[in-house]
């Protein structure tokens, strides 16, 4: 069965979907409820308009978030987690907890320049 594609590791699949510098952050903040594009930009002003747009589109394409556009001037666009996207909440919360532990550990044991 040389032409049979190898089965992908489920962890790799998860990282493919939610990987990227800003996707986890976007998902974490959408756990708190619907956000407008500008709100997401204000949370992390260092992310460019272009990159935030790309990351949101990818999450939308994967069925993780939904985009609602209001027909008004100026345009109003809101993002929220889909029901399927909400299944990621425990994963995102565990990533948050792990990040807190790591930051605490790193503050107690900073790497020296010799490491």
């Amino acid at each position: 069965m040389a032409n049979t594609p190898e089965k992908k590791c489920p962890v790799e699949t998860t990282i493919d979907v939610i990987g990227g510098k800003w996707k986890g952050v976007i998902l974490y903040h959408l756990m708190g409820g619907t956000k407008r594009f500008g709100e997401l930009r204000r949370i992390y002003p260092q992310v460019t308009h272009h990159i935030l747009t790309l990351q949101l589109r990818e999450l939308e394409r994967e069925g993780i978030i939904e985009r609602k556009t209001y027909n008004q001037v100026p345009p109003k666009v809101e993002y929220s987690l889909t029901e399927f996207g909400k299944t990621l909440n425990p994963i995102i919360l565990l990533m948050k907890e792990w990040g807190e532990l790591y930051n605490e550990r790193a503050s107690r044991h900073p790497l020296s320049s010799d490491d």
Side-chain angles (χ1 to χ4, degrees), residues 1-37:
M1 301 194 129
N3 292 336
T4 305
E6 290 186 37
K7 208 171 183 183
K8 198 172 191 181
C9 170
V11 173
E12 183 182 0
T13 301
T14 304
I15 290 170
D16 285 348
V17 174
I18 67 169
K21 186 170 183 177
W22 301 106
K23 287 182 184 175
V25 172
I26 291 166
L27 295 172
Y28 175 71
H29 288 285
L30 289 178
M31 286 173 53
T34 301
K35 300 279 185 286
R36 293 181 65 181
F37 186 88

mmCIF file of all heavy atoms in Angstrom, residues 1-37:
data_model
loop_
_atom_site.group_PDB
_atom_site.id
_atom_site.type_symbol
_atom_site.label_atom_id
_atom_site.label_comp_id
_atom_site.label_asym_id
_atom_site.label_seq_id
_atom_site.Cartn_x
_atom_site.Cartn_y
_atom_site.Cartn_z
ATOM 1 N N MET A 1 0.830 -1.190 0.000
ATOM 2 C CA MET A 1 0.000 0.000 0.000
ATOM 3 C C MET A 1 0.870 1.249 0.000
ATOM 4 O O MET A 1 0.756 2.115 0.848
ATOM 5 C CB MET A 1 -0.928 0.001 1.199
ATOM 6 C CG MET A 1 -1.860 -1.164 1.310
ATOM 7 S SD MET A 1 -3.117 -0.780 2.514
ATOM 8 C CE MET A 1 -4.542 -1.184 1.569
ATOM 9 N N ALA A 2 1.725 1.353 -0.959
ATOM 10 C CA ALA A 2 2.669 2.462 -1.037
ATOM 11 C C ALA A 2 1.978 3.797 -1.278
ATOM 12 O O ALA A 2 2.494 4.837 -0.908
ATOM 13 C CB ALA A 2 3.691 2.198 -2.132
ATOM 14 N N ASN A 3 0.800 3.794 -1.899
ATOM 15 C CA ASN A 3 0.104 5.039 -2.202
ATOM 16 C C ASN A 3 -0.845 5.494 -1.096
ATOM 17 O O ASN A 3 -1.485 6.517 -1.228
ATOM 18 C CB ASN A 3 -0.682 4.902 -3.512
ATOM 19 C CG ASN A 3 0.249 4.785 -4.703
ATOM 20 O OD1 ASN A 3 1.388 5.234 -4.648
ATOM 21 N ND2 ASN A 3 -0.233 4.175 -5.772
ATOM 22 N N THR A 4 -0.951 4.708 -0.024
ATOM 23 C CA THR A 4 -1.819 5.083 1.077
ATOM 24 C C THR A 4 -1.163 6.188 1.885
ATOM 25 O O THR A 4 -0.031 6.028 2.350
ATOM 26 C CB THR A 4 -2.091 3.869 1.999
ATOM 27 O OG1 THR A 4 -2.605 2.814 1.206
ATOM 28 C CG2 THR A 4 -3.068 4.226 3.097
ATOM 29 N N PRO A 5 -1.846 7.340 2.036
ATOM 30 C CA PRO A 5 -1.230 8.422 2.822
ATOM 31 C C PRO A 5 -1.098 8.004 4.290
ATOM 32 O O PRO A 5 -1.946 7.298 4.820
ATOM 33 C CB PRO A 5 -2.212 9.589 2.669
ATOM 34 C CG PRO A 5 -3.482 8.988 2.190
ATOM 35 C CD PRO A 5 -3.155 7.673 1.537
ATOM 36 N N GLU A 6 -0.019 8.444 4.884
ATOM 37 C CA GLU A 6 0.191 8.140 6.294
ATOM 38 C C GLU A 6 -0.817 8.891 7.136
ATOM 39 O O GLU A 6 -1.188 10.013 6.821
ATOM 40 C CB GLU A 6 1.609 8.535 6.712
ATOM 41 C CG GLU A 6 2.667 7.653 6.112
ATOM 42 C CD GLU A 6 4.040 7.975 6.661
ATOM 43 O OE1 GLU A 6 4.152 8.286 7.859
ATOM 44 O OE2 GLU A 6 4.989 7.915 5.865
ATOM 45 N N LYS A 7 -1.241 8.242 8.204
ATOM 46 C CA LYS A 7 -2.178 8.874 9.109
ATOM 47 C C LYS A 7 -1.467 10.002 9.853
ATOM 48 O O LYS A 7 -0.346 9.836 10.314
ATOM 49 C CB LYS A 7 -2.700 7.832 10.101
ATOM 50 C CG LYS A 7 -4.052 8.111 10.619
ATOM 51 C CD LYS A 7 -4.566 6.936 11.402
ATOM 52 C CE LYS A 7 -5.965 7.236 11.849
ATOM 53 N NZ LYS A 7 -6.513 6.178 12.670
ATOM 54 N N LYS A 8 -2.112 11.133 9.921
ATOM 55 C CA LYS A 8 -1.529 12.301 10.571
ATOM 56 C C LYS A 8 -1.715 12.195 12.082
ATOM 57 O O LYS A 8 -2.779 11.795 12.558
ATOM 58 C CB LYS A 8 -2.237 13.551 10.040
ATOM 59 C CG LYS A 8 -1.508 14.822 10.254
ATOM 60 C CD LYS A 8 -2.241 15.927 9.513
ATOM 61 C CE LYS A 8 -1.438 17.181 9.465
ATOM 62 N NZ LYS A 8 -2.123 18.255 8.783
ATOM 63 N N CYS A 9 -0.720 12.589 12.812
ATOM 64 C CA CYS A 9 -0.795 12.615 14.272
ATOM 65 C C CYS A 9 -1.866 13.618 14.695
ATOM 66 O O CYS A 9 -1.898 14.745 14.194
ATOM 67 C CB CYS A 9 0.563 13.010 14.840
ATOM 68 S SG CYS A 9 0.558 13.350 16.606
ATOM 69 N N PRO A 10 -2.765 13.246 15.617
ATOM 70 C CA PRO A 10 -3.808 14.173 16.051
ATOM 71 C C PRO A 10 -3.267 15.461 16.673
ATOM 72 O O PRO A 10 -3.882 16.517 16.534
ATOM 73 C CB PRO A 10 -4.611 13.363 17.088
ATOM 74 C CG PRO A 10 -4.270 11.942 16.833
ATOM 75 C CD PRO A 10 -2.904 11.925 16.222
ATOM 76 N N VAL A 11 -2.121 15.388 17.332
ATOM 77 C CA VAL A 11 -1.523 16.597 17.905
ATOM 78 C C VAL A 11 -1.097 17.527 16.775
ATOM 79 O O VAL A 11 -1.302 18.746 16.849
ATOM 80 C CB VAL A 11 -0.336 16.250 18.837
ATOM 81 C CG1 VAL A 11 0.384 17.508 19.288
ATOM 82 C CG2 VAL A 11 -0.811 15.445 20.026
ATOM 83 N N GLU A 12 -0.551 16.959 15.720
ATOM 84 C CA GLU A 12 -0.162 17.757 14.560
ATOM 85 C C GLU A 12 -1.384 18.438 13.943
ATOM 86 O O GLU A 12 -1.336 19.614 13.568
ATOM 87 C CB GLU A 12 0.528 16.875 13.519
ATOM 88 C CG GLU A 12 1.023 17.621 12.308
ATOM 89 C CD GLU A 12 1.665 16.710 11.276
ATOM 90 O OE1 GLU A 12 1.745 15.485 11.482
ATOM 91 O OE2 GLU A 12 2.087 17.248 10.239
ATOM 92 N N THR A 13 -2.482 17.709 13.861
ATOM 93 C CA THR A 13 -3.723 18.279 13.332
ATOM 94 C C THR A 13 -4.172 19.465 14.167
ATOM 95 O O THR A 13 -4.512 20.527 13.632
ATOM 96 C CB THR A 13 -4.844 17.217 13.289
ATOM 97 O OG1 THR A 13 -4.420 16.138 12.458
ATOM 98 C CG2 THR A 13 -6.149 17.799 12.772
ATOM 99 N N THR A 14 -4.164 19.314 15.484
ATOM 100 C CA THR A 14 -4.577 20.396 16.379
ATOM 101 C C THR A 14 -3.682 21.616 16.191
ATOM 102 O O THR A 14 -4.173 22.743 16.076
ATOM 103 C CB THR A 14 -4.551 19.933 17.853
ATOM 104 O OG1 THR A 14 -5.371 18.768 17.984
ATOM 105 C CG2 THR A 14 -5.047 21.027 18.788
ATOM 106 N N ILE A 15 -2.380 21.387 16.131
ATOM 107 C CA ILE A 15 -1.447 22.494 15.955
ATOM 108 C C ILE A 15 -1.654 23.149 14.591
ATOM 109 O O ILE A 15 -1.583 24.378 14.475
ATOM 110 C CB ILE A 15 0.005 22.022 16.160
ATOM 111 C CG1 ILE A 15 0.219 21.689 17.637
ATOM 112 C CG2 ILE A 15 1.011 23.078 15.699
ATOM 113 C CD1 ILE A 15 1.515 20.990 17.952
ATOM 114 N N ASP A 16 -1.947 22.349 13.562
ATOM 115 C CA ASP A 16 -2.223 22.919 12.246
ATOM 116 C C ASP A 16 -3.408 23.873 12.291
ATOM 117 O O ASP A 16 -3.416 24.902 11.636
ATOM 118 C CB ASP A 16 -2.507 21.820 11.215
ATOM 119 C CG ASP A 16 -1.257 21.084 10.760
ATOM 120 O OD1 ASP A 16 -0.138 21.552 11.059
ATOM 121 O OD2 ASP A 16 -1.415 20.035 10.106
ATOM 122 N N VAL A 17 -4.423 23.522 13.073
ATOM 123 C CA VAL A 17 -5.647 24.331 13.131
ATOM 124 C C VAL A 17 -5.481 25.551 14.028
ATOM 125 O O VAL A 17 -5.871 26.658 13.656
ATOM 126 C CB VAL A 17 -6.855 23.481 13.585
ATOM 127 C CG1 VAL A 17 -8.098 24.344 13.788
ATOM 128 C CG2 VAL A 17 -7.144 22.380 12.571
ATOM 129 N N ILE A 18 -4.901 25.381 15.214
ATOM 130 C CA ILE A 18 -4.843 26.507 16.157
ATOM 131 C C ILE A 18 -3.446 27.081 16.312
ATOM 132 O O ILE A 18 -3.238 27.991 17.104
ATOM 133 C CB ILE A 18 -5.418 26.151 17.545
ATOM 134 C CG1 ILE A 18 -4.561 25.111 18.270
ATOM 135 C CG2 ILE A 18 -6.862 25.718 17.433
ATOM 136 C CD1 ILE A 18 -4.917 24.923 19.726
ATOM 137 N N GLY A 19 -2.486 26.557 15.551
ATOM 138 C CA GLY A 19 -1.124 27.070 15.608
ATOM 139 C C GLY A 19 -1.049 28.450 14.979
ATOM 140 O O GLY A 19 -1.988 28.926 14.347
ATOM 141 N N GLY A 20 0.048 29.070 15.135
ATOM 142 C CA GLY A 20 0.198 30.446 14.661
ATOM 143 C C GLY A 20 0.298 31.340 15.869
ATOM 144 O O GLY A 20 -0.318 31.069 16.900
ATOM 145 N N LYS A 21 1.043 32.378 15.743
ATOM 146 C CA LYS A 21 1.337 33.234 16.897
ATOM 147 C C LYS A 21 0.095 33.804 17.557
ATOM 148 O O LYS A 21 0.055 33.956 18.775
ATOM 149 C CB LYS A 21 2.271 34.362 16.473
ATOM 150 C CG LYS A 21 2.734 35.208 17.630
ATOM 151 C CD LYS A 21 3.833 36.144 17.243
ATOM 152 C CE LYS A 21 4.304 36.915 18.458
ATOM 153 N NZ LYS A 21 5.418 37.790 18.156
ATOM 154 N N TRP A 22 -0.951 34.110 16.789
ATOM 155 C CA TRP A 22 -2.084 34.839 17.354
ATOM 156 C C TRP A 22 -3.359 34.024 17.508
ATOM 157 O O TRP A 22 -4.292 34.462 18.169
ATOM 158 C CB TRP A 22 -2.359 36.087 16.509
ATOM 159 C CG TRP A 22 -1.161 36.971 16.481
ATOM 160 C CD1 TRP A 22 -0.303 37.155 15.442
ATOM 161 C CD2 TRP A 22 -0.645 37.747 17.559
ATOM 162 N NE1 TRP A 22 0.714 38.011 15.796
ATOM 163 C CE2 TRP A 22 0.521 38.391 17.111
ATOM 164 C CE3 TRP A 22 -1.057 37.962 18.874
ATOM 165 C CZ2 TRP A 22 1.277 39.235 17.908
ATOM 166 C CZ3 TRP A 22 -0.299 38.800 19.666
ATOM 167 C CH2 TRP A 22 0.846 39.426 19.195
ATOM 168 N N LYS A 23 -3.441 32.846 16.918
ATOM 169 C CA LYS A 23 -4.696 32.091 16.964
ATOM 170 C C LYS A 23 -5.104 31.719 18.384
ATOM 171 O O LYS A 23 -6.261 31.863 18.752
ATOM 172 C CB LYS A 23 -4.621 30.845 16.086
ATOM 173 C CG LYS A 23 -4.674 31.166 14.615
ATOM 174 C CD LYS A 23 -4.643 29.887 13.809
ATOM 175 C CE LYS A 23 -4.593 30.177 12.330
ATOM 176 N NZ LYS A 23 -4.453 28.942 11.555
ATOM 177 N N GLY A 24 -4.166 31.243 19.171
ATOM 178 C CA GLY A 24 -4.485 30.890 20.550
ATOM 179 C C GLY A 24 -4.964 32.094 21.343
ATOM 180 O O GLY A 24 -5.905 32.007 22.132
ATOM 181 N N VAL A 25 -4.328 33.229 21.119
ATOM 182 C CA VAL A 25 -4.706 34.471 21.795
ATOM 183 C C VAL A 25 -6.118 34.896 21.368
ATOM 184 O O VAL A 25 -6.945 35.276 22.206
ATOM 185 C CB VAL A 25 -3.684 35.590 21.484
ATOM 186 C CG1 VAL A 25 -4.137 36.928 22.012
ATOM 187 C CG2 VAL A 25 -2.317 35.217 22.031
ATOM 188 N N ILE A 26 -6.394 34.811 20.081
ATOM 189 C CA ILE A 26 -7.727 35.149 19.575
ATOM 190 C C ILE A 26 -8.767 34.246 20.229
ATOM 191 O O ILE A 26 -9.793 34.724 20.737
ATOM 192 C CB ILE A 26 -7.773 35.002 18.033
ATOM 193 C CG1 ILE A 26 -6.920 36.067 17.357
ATOM 194 C CG2 ILE A 26 -9.214 35.055 17.528
ATOM 195 C CD1 ILE A 26 -6.634 35.787 15.878
ATOM 196 N N LEU A 27 -8.508 32.942 20.237
ATOM 197 C CA LEU A 27 -9.462 31.994 20.815
ATOM 198 C C LEU A 27 -9.664 32.260 22.302
ATOM 199 O O LEU A 27 -10.792 32.216 22.800
ATOM 200 C CB LEU A 27 -8.992 30.563 20.581
ATOM 201 C CG LEU A 27 -8.960 30.132 19.114
ATOM 202 C CD1 LEU A 27 -8.285 28.769 18.973
ATOM 203 C CD2 LEU A 27 -10.349 30.116 18.523
ATOM 204 N N TYR A 28 -8.581 32.552 23.003
ATOM 205 C CA TYR A 28 -8.685 32.833 24.443
ATOM 206 C C TYR A 28 -9.611 34.028 24.694
ATOM 207 O O TYR A 28 -10.478 33.981 25.558
ATOM 208 C CB TYR A 28 -7.293 33.094 25.029
ATOM 209 C CG TYR A 28 -7.329 33.517 26.469
ATOM 210 C CD1 TYR A 28 -7.666 32.604 27.455
ATOM 211 C CD2 TYR A 28 -7.049 34.827 26.845
ATOM 212 C CE1 TYR A 28 -7.719 32.986 28.790
ATOM 213 C CE2 TYR A 28 -7.093 35.213 28.165
ATOM 214 C CZ TYR A 28 -7.431 34.286 29.134
ATOM 215 O OH TYR A 28 -7.492 34.672 30.455
ATOM 216 N N HIS A 29 -9.457 35.072 23.927
ATOM 217 C CA HIS A 29 -10.276 36.260 24.143
ATOM 218 C C HIS A 29 -11.711 36.079 23.654
ATOM 219 O O HIS A 29 -12.630 36.677 24.223
ATOM 220 C CB HIS A 29 -9.609 37.496 23.540
ATOM 221 C CG HIS A 29 -8.412 37.907 24.340
ATOM 222 N ND1 HIS A 29 -8.507 38.535 25.560
ATOM 223 C CD2 HIS A 29 -7.095 37.729 24.120
ATOM 224 C CE1 HIS A 29 -7.300 38.740 26.053
ATOM 225 N NE2 HIS A 29 -6.430 38.255 25.192
ATOM 226 N N LEU A 30 -11.923 35.247 22.658
ATOM 227 C CA LEU A 30 -13.290 34.978 22.211
ATOM 228 C C LEU A 30 -14.031 34.070 23.185
ATOM 229 O O LEU A 30 -15.258 34.019 23.162
ATOM 230 C CB LEU A 30 -13.293 34.378 20.804
ATOM 231 C CG LEU A 30 -12.912 35.337 19.682
ATOM 232 C CD1 LEU A 30 -12.910 34.619 18.342
ATOM 233 C CD2 LEU A 30 -13.840 36.545 19.642
ATOM 234 N N MET A 31 -13.308 33.382 24.056
ATOM 235 C CA MET A 31 -13.962 32.576 25.091
ATOM 236 C C MET A 31 -14.801 33.478 25.998
ATOM 237 O O MET A 31 -15.809 33.041 26.547
ATOM 238 C CB MET A 31 -12.924 31.823 25.935
ATOM 239 C CG MET A 31 -12.318 30.649 25.208
ATOM 240 S SD MET A 31 -10.937 29.885 26.120
ATOM 241 C CE MET A 31 -11.671 29.574 27.715
ATOM 242 N N GLY A 32 -14.395 34.733 26.136
ATOM 243 C CA GLY A 32 -15.122 35.687 26.974
ATOM 244 C C GLY A 32 -16.338 36.278 26.282
ATOM 245 O O GLY A 32 -17.074 37.050 26.883
ATOM 246 N N GLY A 33 -16.539 35.945 25.009
ATOM 247 C CA GLY A 33 -17.699 36.448 24.290
ATOM 248 C C GLY A 33 -17.304 37.074 22.962
ATOM 249 O O GLY A 33 -16.128 37.170 22.610
ATOM 250 N N THR A 34 -18.304 37.492 22.241
ATOM 251 C CA THR A 34 -18.144 38.089 20.915
ATOM 252 C C THR A 34 -17.276 39.338 20.988
ATOM 253 O O THR A 34 -17.399 40.135 21.922
ATOM 254 C CB THR A 34 -19.530 38.440 20.341
ATOM 255 O OG1 THR A 34 -20.287 37.229 20.265
ATOM 256 C CG2 THR A 34 -19.442 39.072 18.975
ATOM 257 N N LYS A 35 -16.398 39.475 19.996
ATOM 258 C CA LYS A 35 -15.520 40.647 19.915
ATOM 259 C C LYS A 35 -15.572 41.218 18.504
ATOM 260 O O LYS A 35 -15.667 40.481 17.531
ATOM 261 C CB LYS A 35 -14.071 40.273 20.224
ATOM 262 C CG LYS A 35 -13.818 39.680 21.586
ATOM 263 C CD LYS A 35 -13.714 40.726 22.637
ATOM 264 C CE LYS A 35 -13.335 40.170 23.984
ATOM 265 N NZ LYS A 35 -14.363 39.448 24.679
ATOM 266 N N ARG A 36 -15.477 42.522 18.434
ATOM 267 C CA ARG A 36 -15.335 43.195 17.142
ATOM 268 C C ARG A 36 -13.856 43.196 16.761
ATOM 269 O O ARG A 36 -12.985 43.032 17.610
ATOM 270 C CB ARG A 36 -15.886 44.613 17.228
ATOM 271 C CG ARG A 36 -17.412 44.611 17.437
ATOM 272 C CD ARG A 36 -17.990 45.971 17.512
ATOM 273 N NE ARG A 36 -17.822 46.667 16.228
ATOM 274 C CZ ARG A 36 -18.218 47.897 16.003
ATOM 275 N NH1 ARG A 36 -18.806 48.587 16.957
ATOM 276 N NH2 ARG A 36 -18.032 48.471 14.836
ATOM 277 N N PHE A 37 -13.606 43.400 15.477
ATOM 278 C CA PHE A 37 -12.236 43.398 14.971
ATOM 279 C C PHE A 37 -11.375 44.397 15.732
ATOM 280 O O PHE A 37 -10.272 44.082 16.171
ATOM 281 C CB PHE A 37 -12.240 43.714 13.466
ATOM 282 C CG PHE A 37 -10.892 43.592 12.835
ATOM 283 C CD1 PHE A 37 -10.460 42.382 12.333
ATOM 284 C CD2 PHE A 37 -10.039 44.691 12.750
ATOM 285 C CE1 PHE A 37 -9.197 42.266 11.749
ATOM 286 C CE2 PHE A 37 -8.792 44.591 12.168
ATOM 287 C CZ PHE A 37 -8.372 43.366 11.673
#
